[in-house]
Amino acid sequence: MKQSKFYKEQMDEENVNSCFDEIRNENYDNSFENFKIKMNYRIKSSSKLNLSDKFIYLLNLNKLKLTCLVLIALTIAACSYPVKSVDTLGYLISFNAKSENVSDISKQIGNMKIQNSYSLKVFKSSDNTDKFIKFNMMLQNVNEESSTQIKNDISRINGVENIVLTSLSETNSQPVYAYLLKNFMNLNVNPSDKSPEVLTEEINENLKKAGMINTNVKVVIENGVRRLILENSSPNDNFEIKLGDDKTMDVLKIKRLDSNDVNQGSILSEDELRKKVKTENPNLNDDDIKIIKEIDSNGKEVLKVEISKED
Amino acid sequence: MVSDSNEFFEYLKPVYSDCIRFCKYLTKDLNKFNYEDIFQQSMLVACEKFYSLNDKSKFKSWIFTIILRESKNYYRKNFWKKFISIEEITDSLNLEYTQDSIEDIDKKTLLMSALKKLSKKEKESILLFELGGFSIEEIKDIQNEKSISSVKSRLSRSRKKLKIFINKNKPDFNINNRETLENETIKILQRTNG
């Protein structure tokens, strides 16, 4: 016999009800007195506790949370503890050559295929004032192996004497977290529709979080293009900030060299200086730029740039 | 405090079994330690706050609200309890009730499985309605809902889900069939003996 839909629904309802009825039939009344005694004991024992007992009870109850908190606090303290770090900033290859070989050696070095950026400084040796010229070649972003290879290549050039490879390093004292972030802090900022003021604030906040409290950067708009300007910086801070998207990217990269090891004013070689002037003034030809070597008041050799453009 | 606790137990006694049942079926896994823990903690909180209950006629809904809240807290804090050694776990309350027959266990297991299919709110509503015996208006207040209609629709939805699950997975609940089977077995045994 076919069951009616109503009858089936009734049966389904009854099945659910019978399940609930089974649960409703569970009777715990027998355990009430026992429960009451246990609860009264717990209530009385907890009300008897004095302040120190309550404190110990709370400590016991939350000892795992407290342990975690203490561990976190210790980690933060350990990260804030200053540590000394020695950073290699680059390598210096110095050698002597007789004054008549200077141009030849310079040409040969120029012909060498050195992939890393470098600066070459040439000045009169203090040992033999007229006869010898001292070369200082500063290599940046290079490892020891590559710099040794370059040194070996240079030592093969005729006339090169007393070639020495020195690693340039600096010793810093800073918190662990700053040390970890420092090597090397990269900051990519997506400007979207943010104003220069907001971007400035955002970048400076990130720098401060990375422990660079004395460094300040400013975002300005020049001729409709966003530019990053370094306002203040600490000598120990190394960072790279990229502002913008793939099409309009402005990059500010700061990597400090030790002033004792390198004469910062003479980092640019003659060719690099020429290139730089041409980049800044694209309408100039090579003939328009004259680079003159001069001795300044401190006795150091400096390069002077003269631009002469005829319309 | 002690006099308060005696008064508290006076009020608790008539709803004691209801509270345990609600607590038990509210827990996710019917784990004895879990629901006893929740029940004990709820009762401690209730006893402590009993003086603040002005309208004692609302004792039942008040204590069920506490159980609901403590149950939520229990699972939130459960992470830390995983690391507490077994010795530190407070002794069991040994909440006992009359033993079930196999058929009862079947039904309860089925209902537990069905309850797992409901959302947290749905489970709370249906248990408050079926085990707590609360009206829709009271459930609205306990669950802190804005309208009765939302409780109504939730109850109807939950019941529908339970109905579908139970009828899909039910064993033979029909007692008459069971009796027939028993009779037939007896007849067969009599025939073989005879």
Side-chain angles (χ1 to χ4, degrees):
Chain A
M1 194 174 73
K2 197 180 173 185
Q3 286 179 339
S4 71
K5 195 181 171 187
F6 175 75
Y7 176 76
K8 195 180 174 297
E9 274 183 11
Q10 281 286 99
M11 286 303 289
D12 290 351
E13 279 288 332
E14 271 180 30
N15 282 337
V16 177
N17 285 336
S18 71
C19 285
F20 276 114
D21 284 342
E22 286 308 324
I23 294 172
R24 283 187 209 108
N25 288 339
E26 283 181 15
N27 194 341
Y28 295 88
D29 289 345
N30 290 341
S31 63
F32 181 74
E33 287 306 318
N34 187 25
F35 169 76
K36 192 177 162 183
I37 293 163
K38 281 192 177 180
M39 282 294 287
N40 269 329
Y41 175 75
R42 281 203 65 176
I43 292 161
K44 276 175 192 169
S45 60
S46 68
S47 62
K48 272 182 196 168
L49 291 174
N50 58 28
L51 198 67
S52 62
D53 289 339
K54 275 182 182 171
F55 182 71
I56 292 163
Y57 174 74
L58 272 173
L59 269 182
N60 278 328
L61 206 66
N62 299 301
K63 64 184 171 193
L64 191 74
K65 285 181 193 174
L66 277 169
T67 315
C68 289
L69 261 175
V70 169
L71 280 175
I72 291 166
L74 281 175
T75 313
I76 292 169
C79 286
S80 306
Y81 187 78
V83 288
K84 278 193 175 177
S85 63
V86 179
D87 302 326
T88 301
L89 301 172
Y91 289 87
L92 179 73
I93 300 172
S94 56
F95 54 90
N96 293 331
K98 284 183 180 170
S99 53
E100 59 262 29
N101 296 332
V102 169
S103 59
D104 193 34
I105 290 169
S106 301
K107 268 185 193 173
Q108 287 199 51
I109 290 173
N111 290 337
M112 280 168 65
K113 287 177 181 172
I114 301 171
Q115 288 179 344
N116 304 86
S117 61
Y118 70 93
S119 61
L120 187 64
K121 183 191 168 191
V122 182
F123 58 93
K124 283 176 184 172
S125 173
S126 54
D127 305 333
N128 298 300
T129 45
D130 291 330
K131 278 187 180 177
F132 281 93
I133 298 292
K134 191 170 185 182
F135 284 77
N136 274 353
M137 186 184 210
M138 173 67 199
L139 295 159
Q140 291 176 59
N141 302 326
V142 64
N143 58 22
E144 193 173 358
E145 198 183 338
S146 306
S147 51
T148 312
Q149 182 63 45
I150 294 166
K151 181 205 146 193
N152 292 339
D153 290 345
I154 294 171
S155 65
R156 281 190 217 108
I157 299 171
N158 275 338
V160 171
E161 291 173 21
N162 303 330
I163 190 160
V164 178
L165 175 70
T166 319
S167 99
L168 304 176
S169 58
E170 64 169 1
T171 307
N172 290 324
S173 178
Q174 61 202 317
V176 178
Y177 75 89
Y179 171 73
L180 293 172
L181 288 169
K182 194 198 71 144
N183 283 324
F184 182 98
M185 189 200 149
N186 274 302
L187 183 63
N188 292 318
V189 183
N190 184 8
S192 51
D193 296 326
K194 292 171 189 167
S195 68
E197 291 77 22
V198 174
L199 286 167
T200 306
E201 201 177 317
E202 192 179 314
I203 293 167
N204 287 331
E205 201 176 307
N206 277 297
L207 287 170
K208 279 185 179 58
K209 275 182 194 167
M212 301 178 195
I213 47 169
N214 296 320
T215 301
N216 280 315
V217 170
K218 194 178 179 185
V219 179
V220 291
I221 294 180
E222 284 177 0
N223 303 325
V225 181
R226 258 191 219 94
R227 304 280 298 169
L228 277 163
I229 294 171
L230 183 68
E231 287 198 312
N232 298 311
S233 75
S234 165
N236 296 327
D237 295 348
N238 298 306
F239 57 88
E240 184 180 79
I241 303 167
K242 286 178 181 170
L243 177 69
D245 48 35
D246 294 337
K247 288 174 187 172
T248 56
M249 178 74 81
D250 194 23
V251 181
L252 180 67
K253 188 170 182 174
I254 302 292
K255 184 140 178 117
R256 295 284 172 180
L257 303 176
D258 196 331
S259 57
N260 296 326
D261 295 324
V262 185
N263 183 350
Q264 288 189 25
S266 61
I267 283 173
L268 289 179
S269 68
E270 198 177 319
D271 282 347
E272 282 174 335
L273 194 61
R274 192 181 290 279
K275 267 185 197 170
K276 194 186 174 194
V277 175
K278 274 187 78 177
T279 323
E280 286 171 2
N281 306 280
N283 52 343
L284 293 177
N285 296 320
D286 278 348
D287 299 337
D288 301 329
I289 306 163
K290 282 181 185 174
I291 297 175
I292 305 155
K293 285 177 185 171
E294 281 183 358
I295 306 291
D296 68 0
S297 55
N298 297 325
K300 287 180 182 173
E301 196 171 84
V302 290
L303 294 174
K304 189 178 169 186
V305 182
E306 271 187 18
I307 298 168
S308 56
K309 174 81 179 165
E310 288 179 7
D311 293 322
Chain B
M1 185 77 192
V2 179
S3 61
D4 270 352
S5 74
N6 282 334
E7 197 187 352
F8 168 76
F9 286 117
E10 287 296 309
Y11 277 93
L12 179 66
K13 198 173 180 180
V15 293
Y16 174 73
S17 283
D18 288 341
C19 288
I20 297 176
R21 282 195 294 262
F22 179 64
C23 220
K24 184 177 173 182
Y25 289 91
L26 197 63
T27 49
K28 288 174 189 170
D29 42 14
L30 258 190
N31 183 319
K32 188 170 181 281
F33 288 112
N34 286 352
Y35 78 78
E36 283 192 1
D37 262 4
I38 296 169
F39 180 70
Q40 187 171 216
Q41 186 57 32
S42 307
M43 293 307 115
L44 278 171
V45 172
C47 191
E48 208 174 281
K49 302 257 170 89
F50 183 65
Y51 71 93
S52 65
L53 179 68
N54 296 325
D55 186 359
K56 303 287 191 242
S57 64
K58 288 184 177 171
F59 179 82
K60 192 178 174 184
S61 62
W62 174 76
I63 206 159
F64 270 68
T65 313
I66 291 174
I67 294 172
L68 260 184
R69 195 172 54 234
E70 288 306 315
S71 159
K72 282 173 193 166
N73 287 345
Y74 180 81
Y75 286 104
R76 192 166 49 81
K77 291 173 182 171
N78 211 22
F79 171 79
W80 297 99
K81 291 194 177 177
K82 287 176 191 167
F83 305 99
I84 297 173
S85 64
I86 294 165
E87 290 84 40
E88 285 176 58
I89 296 172
T90 49
D91 57 336
S92 169
L93 287 174
N94 290 323
L95 304 171
E96 288 161 2
Y97 67 96
T98 45
Q99 286 302 307
D100 295 320
S101 67
I102 295 169
E103 192 194 329
D104 297 341
I105 292 168
D106 281 350
K107 284 183 181 178
K108 283 176 191 174
T109 317
L110 186 63
L111 185 62
M112 272 307 294
S113 312
L115 285 170
K116 279 181 186 169
K117 301 284 166 193
L118 305 182
S119 73
K120 210 168 157 187
K121 280 255 177 185
E122 286 173 344
K123 190 176 171 182
E124 285 169 15
S125 304
I126 198 90
L127 290 178
L128 283 168
F129 187 77
E130 296 288 349
L131 302 184
F134 291 104
S135 67
I136 293 169
E137 179 76 42
E138 284 170 321
I139 296 171
K140 187 202 96 178
D141 293 337
I142 293 171
Q143 290 198 309
N144 219 358
E145 289 292 341
K146 281 174 188 166
S147 68
I148 291 177
S149 59
S150 62
V151 181
K152 263 186 190 171
S153 60
R154 191 181 296 140
L155 276 171
S156 145
R157 200 168 50 239
S158 332
R159 204 167 168 86
K160 201 175 172 186
K161 280 185 189 176
L162 290 179
K163 211 159 56 175
I164 291 167
F165 185 89
I166 287 172
N167 289 303
K168 204 176 168 185
N169 300 283
K170 66 175 175 183
D172 197 357
F173 287 161
N174 196 332
I175 298 163
N176 294 331
N177 282 354
R178 198 176 280 244
E179 278 175 357
T180 321
L181 195 68
E182 276 171 16
N183 289 336
E184 278 184 15
T185 319
I186 292 164
K187 277 177 191 171
I188 291 165
L189 283 170
Q190 280 172 346
R191 255 183 255 156
T192 44
N193 290 335

